[in-house]
Amino acid sequence: MKIDIIISADDIKKEKIENKTVIVIDMLRATSVIVTAMNNGCVGVIPVLTVEDASEIVKNSKEEFMLGGERNALKIEGFHYSNSPLEYTRKSIEGKTLVMTTTNGTKAIKGCIGANNILIGSMLNAKAIASRIVSLNKDVVIVNAGTYGEFSIDDFLCSGYIIDNILKLAEADLSDIAVTSNYIYKNNEDILNFIKYANHYKTIMKLGLSADLEYCCQKDIIDIVPEYKDGVIL
Ligand code: 3SL
Ligand code: MG
């Protein structure tokens, strides 16, 4: 099995993901939200690119949807929830379908259409992701959502942790960038100490959302692997 990394949603190339298993990571905070919501009984998450796309879905359906996401890290006007994973409790999301739009995370997920499997990864479910990867036994591309098309320390470190878990279960042929992310994780296993240098970490911190940061940096507290298929994450 080969493992490679793409560093941002803007760097996804069709030929790089075709016939591969893809893991999409936006640990701060979109994929942490998705993993948390699904673990708390959310029926499904529909990722969309724009606020208008989200409103259209709600308008044209009889089903009741919850709207979640962010722009500039803040709740979108008229939406039920922001992009804080702590809002997606069992009480708020169980039995509901979530329509979600975020700046980088949902863009990365939709950009991976064409891959064989599109798994939703985070620190929270890294071990579960690794087991699934090993059972699928296909070449893997870890897609980092990044931040506004740029490399982001947080997603890269999370990739290194997922790779670490895969290597505990199976042999893999790592690209140079995959080796580097694993090396950086290995030297920063206490990930908060390194993620604090990420620009997006500082943005979230400035908004007073340190509880979100602490939550998203926890390792393996969730045992599920959400997967995006035919427009919905189940
Ligand atoms: O860009 C995204 O998709 C978001 O996860 C960013 S934020 O952490 O909610 O600001
Ligand atoms: Mg992010």
Side-chain angles (χ1 to χ4, degrees):
M1 175 202 319
K2 291 183 184 163
I3 305 180
D4 197 6
I5 295 176
I6 289 174
I7 61 157
S8 91
D10 288 6
D11 293 290
I12 301 167
K13 292 195 186 91
K14 201 169 172 247
E15 63 273 17
K16 281 252 178 186
I17 58 163
E18 255 171 3
N19 300 316
K20 306 272 170 53
T21 300
V22 163
I23 307 163
V24 183
I25 297 175
D26 184 7
M27 66 163 283
L28 301 179
R29 297 166 291 170
T31 59
S32 296
V33 164
I34 294 166
V35 168
T36 301
M38 294 304 292
N39 192 50
N40 282 333
C42 178
V43 174
V45 179
I46 302 172
V48 296
L49 292 179
T50 65
V51 175
E52 293 70 34
D53 290 347
S55 307
E56 277 298 299
I57 291 178
V58 173
K59 215 171 30 183
N60 296 325
S61 170
K62 283 195 188 113
E63 199 186 323
E64 200 208 333
F65 293 106
M66 303 313 284
L67 288 166
E70 56 70 41
R71 283 299 177 268
N72 300 315
L74 298 171
K75 186 172 164 184
I76 298 162
E77 206 187 316
F79 275 37
H80 300 94
Y81 304 122
S82 76
N83 205 32
S84 167
L86 301 177
E87 289 181 19
Y88 295 82
T89 58
R90 187 160 285 280
K91 196 168 168 222
S92 65
I93 205 68
E94 187 169 34
K96 312 245 170 69
T97 301
L98 177 69
V99 178
M100 181 181 190
T101 180
T102 71
T103 311
N104 309 285
T106 55
K107 186 176 176 187
I109 294 167
K110 293 195 73 83
C112 290
I113 292 170
N116 256 9
N117 296 81
I118 305 172
L119 313 180
I120 307 299
S122 64
M123 294 301 297
L124 307 173
N125 68 337
K127 265 204 179 109
I129 286 274
S131 305
R132 185 80 205 286
I133 289 298
V134 171
S135 69
L136 287 168
N137 197 24
K138 283 247 160 59
D139 289 347
V140 176
V141 178
I142 306 179
V143 173
N144 292 188
T147 306
Y148 297 112
E150 302 283 343
F151 174 87
S152 209
I153 291 172
D154 39 317
D155 294 334
F156 197 60
L157 205 53
C158 182
S159 305
Y161 180 54
I162 290 175
I163 291 170
D164 212 52
N165 279 291
I166 295 171
L167 294 178
K168 283 182 183 149
L169 302 173
E171 282 183 14
D173 175 7
L174 307 188
S175 67
D176 282 10
I177 191 169
V179 170
T180 307
S181 77
N182 186 235
Y183 179 85
I184 290 176
Y185 167 72
K186 282 284 200 197
N187 286 280
N188 295 279
E189 291 194 9
D190 180 2
I191 61 160
L192 261 171
N193 263 334
F194 191 52
I195 285 182
K196 69 181 180 206
Y197 297 113
N199 280 322
H200 193 59
Y201 179 97
K202 293 176 194 163
T203 303
I204 302 282
M205 198 64 165
K206 273 192 206 135
L207 289 169
L209 300 170
S210 60
D212 278 12
L213 297 166
E214 276 166 35
Y215 176 80
C216 292
C217 287
Q218 295 175 100
K219 296 174 182 169
D220 308 309
I221 59 164
I222 292 177
D223 200 24
I224 59 161
V225 178
E227 183 163 349
Y228 180 56
K229 208 175 178 186
D230 302 327
V232 60
I233 298 165
L234 298 171

